[in-house]
Amino acid sequence: MRNIFLGQLLLLLVVSSSLFAQRPDKPTSSEIYHELQQLNFLGSAMYIAAHPDDENTRLISYFVNDVHARTAYLSLTRGDGGQNLVGPEIRELLGVIRTQELLAARRTDGGQQFFTRANDFGYSKNPEETLSFWNEEEVLGDVVRAIRQFKPDVIINRFNHRTPGSTHGHHTASAMLSVDAFEKVNNSSAYPETAKQYGTWQPKRLFFNTSWWFYGSQEAFEKADKTNLMEVETGGYYPSLGLSNGEIASLSRSMHKSQGFGSTGTRGSQSEWLEFLKGDFPENKESLFEGIDTSWSRVEGGENIGAILEPLEDDFDFENPSSMLRPLLQAYELVKQLKDDHWRTIKMQQLEKIILDCGGIYVEAVSETNSINPGNTYKITLEAINRSDFPVVLQSVKTTNGTVLLQENTTLEPNKRYEFEATLTSQSKEYSAPYWLKEEGSLGMYKAPPDKIGLPETPAPEQVQFNIALSRTELPVVRDVVYKYNDPVDGEVYQPLEVLPEMTVSIADKVLIFPDRDDRQIPVTLTAGRDNVNGFVQLNYPNGWEVSPAQQTFNMERKGESKTVLFTITPPRDQSEGYLKPLVRVGDQFFDKELVTIDYDHIPFQRVLLSAQAKVVHIDLEKEGDRIGYIEGAGDAIPESLRQIGYSVTTLSPDAITLKKLEDFDAVVIGIRAYNTVPELAFKQTILNKYVEEGGTLVAQYNTNRGMVTEDVAPYSLKISRDRVTDENSDVSFLAPEHDVLNEPNEITQADFEGWIQERGLYFPDEWAPQFTPILGMNDAGETQTKGSLLVAEYGKGHYVYTGLSFFRELPAGVAGAYRLFANILSLGN
Ligand SMILES: [Zn+2]
């Protein structure tokens, strides 16, 4: 008993350290016991939704830790379209972070992760719009593929497929595609390639994970007919893990840090409600797996295996798990004989892990460097240790393409560490990078090679196989080659070994705004990916622009060294935009990629190769006024954008909002969602209004209408609604064409609403006092016109502006018209 308790204490430490994928898994006895419970359950469940964070981690953890089923979450997208609360990454780089956050969540709750090629292109009001951006045929094919590959008995949709328009279009679309896939997966003529590759499959039943929320109120739900509903108790406590299901679910959910979804664990009974949709109705409502044999007898030849493995749960040896090696090896030999490919593969993997874990057998392959170039030869250190009394022999070590690194039988004496050096030549000819970012896709779809579709991440480029014999059983143990180092503060740090180019190049600012014809010096940074590299760099540029010099030479001696060279850029006379693209030449090779590093504590270290480029925009722009005060909200890059067009911008902390301070500025801008995130603003509106009254210009950007620190955001009444216009190309009409904001100092025309990205705007007010002038009308197809996207009022001697237009997206993206309109807003009264 004592040891079990100690195991629980240790587990807490392991839970927090096993969050890092590259770090080897080192389970306690209690965790091995859990692995054994999962080994003895032959059933699978899959949860399907649209985004990272849609998944119900309570239910996923319940399936894994209570039922002991293989459990997967299929997220149709990687969440690229959202906002980032932990750093500057957006779009595809945010997708990389959220992919890793999902993997971190699954390492916490024990599930597996799948994706489709669908891109989270931004908010969508209904599934029809979603499916017009996604390639429906391909995304449905990817859902079918994931189901055929994973073979779930039970599928659960997060969203209701019957209520389009009630939630994000991606949500409803995920449920519709899941329902469609449920009908197609067992038909070999639907998506015949994956039917051939994985076989067809019929899941037993499909549910919708409903709750009172979908019924409007708790009362309505209590009264509802529940014939088709199943209640599942998901509040169980797992003594072997020391945690309640709700606590594991919260640890898992808290991995979605870029979305600020930290969650506090709950203990005690908690129900989930599942609405039966398709398949075999579970008449007794006893178990989601009702009518499915989830014991070893499920597979032909399985009874004998169950007879060996099931008693091990009752007699589990927590003090010395290696005492169970004989029966585990006996079972392994029988599993190897199973005719069923699907279960044989899964159970061999699970058993291999349990055997190594029970024996305290540890192997790793560590590279001397964290990056190599394609075809490089590099040194690795191989470590092998057997921390049991069981006889273990290391027979050989090979690369996965068959090169022998070590070939003499070495008996691994109990608790003696063996270390070997080896030299190997890179097996990978491709650069390491997220596979879905290698080729440019469309707005709605990523491209992926067929053998990678569905994978959460790109497999490690370099692997080795340790052939280990325990008695007469041979285990092929494959390990990624990793890099590790000792950090004076953090201690042991693991990183992936990556295959990278010999040269990378970057321009730090991704959007360069030229508000006039003055030339600018642009720094281009070169980084050596190997020792002794020299060559030339040039900049490709759009028509009409001028760049000098034509090329620059460089010479670097050490890998990792960086050098910055300057090019002078002169914009053309007219408004113009395009891209600067650096091109590096070394001998007869060309390099044009930038290496981006993503390094956060909660996810493994990531490096991404992107095309090196910077957008250059020459905007025909006039402005009045110069000094801008910026009150930060939830975080946006508008101050940087305003500096690029020549404003002097001062960021103001809430304490600095005093009338005396505000008087320094020609205009004061309030950052996005400030009235949602800055509590002090509840007490500052009087000062802000006074600033306007005395002649200032105050510009408030969008806030969500729920959870505001005050309703009092303007000198006159204003009601924020959920109105949004998501089509970035929707028509815009000028409701007040003579108003200064559309004419001074820049004359705004329809051309200024071209080239916008992602959306027009969001959370527009829908009611306002008569003192406001609505400036613009716009709407998505089939909807009534909104008039609240830009509201201007005079108050005292000054101007108050409320705008839900997405300047926070358009300005950092270099949209010329958005700059011209914003300059007019700031020029009001100046
Ligand atoms: Zn979602």
Side-chain angles (χ1 to χ4, degrees), residues 395-423:
Q395 296 178 316
S396 65
V397 182
K398 294 174 179 168
T399 65
T400 38
N401 60 3
T403 309
V404 177
L405 301 175
L406 185 78
Q407 192 159 36
E408 54 189 84
N409 285 348
T410 308
T411 300
L412 302 179
E413 303 290 346
N415 208 27
K416 186 176 166 204
R417 179 169 176 263
Y418 292 83
E419 203 176 81
F420 312 91
E421 303 272 308
T423 300

Side-chain angles (χ1 to χ4, degrees), residues 9-22:
L9 284 181
L10 287 173
L11 181 84
L12 291 175
L13 301 175
V14 174
V15 165
S16 55
S17 68
S18 65
L19 306 177
F20 299 86
Q22 295 125 8

Side-chain angles (χ1 to χ4, degrees), residues 50-54 159 168 171:
H51 305 118
D53 86 351
D54 288 344
F159 298 103
H168 197 322
H171 292 164

Side-chain angles (χ1 to χ4, degrees), residues 55 59 101 135 151 189 291 307 397 419 459 503-504 521 618 647 738 754 812 819-820 824:
E55 83 275 25
L59 211 43
E101 289 181 338
N135 180 326
K151 300 196 174 12
S189 57
V397 182
E419 203 176 81
M503 278 298 302
T504 52
Q521 291 212 308
H618 173 222
Y647 283 106
E738 305 303 326
E754 286 169 14
Y819 272 96
R820 284 163 47 84
N824 279 11

Side-chain angles (χ1 to χ4, degrees), residues 503-521:
M503 278 298 302
T504 52
V505 58
S506 70
I507 301 174
D509 289 323
K510 299 303 165 215
V511 177
L512 299 159
I513 307 292
F514 293 72
D516 45 42
R517 282 215 67 201
D518 292 352
D519 57 32
R520 279 172 72 179
Q521 291 212 308

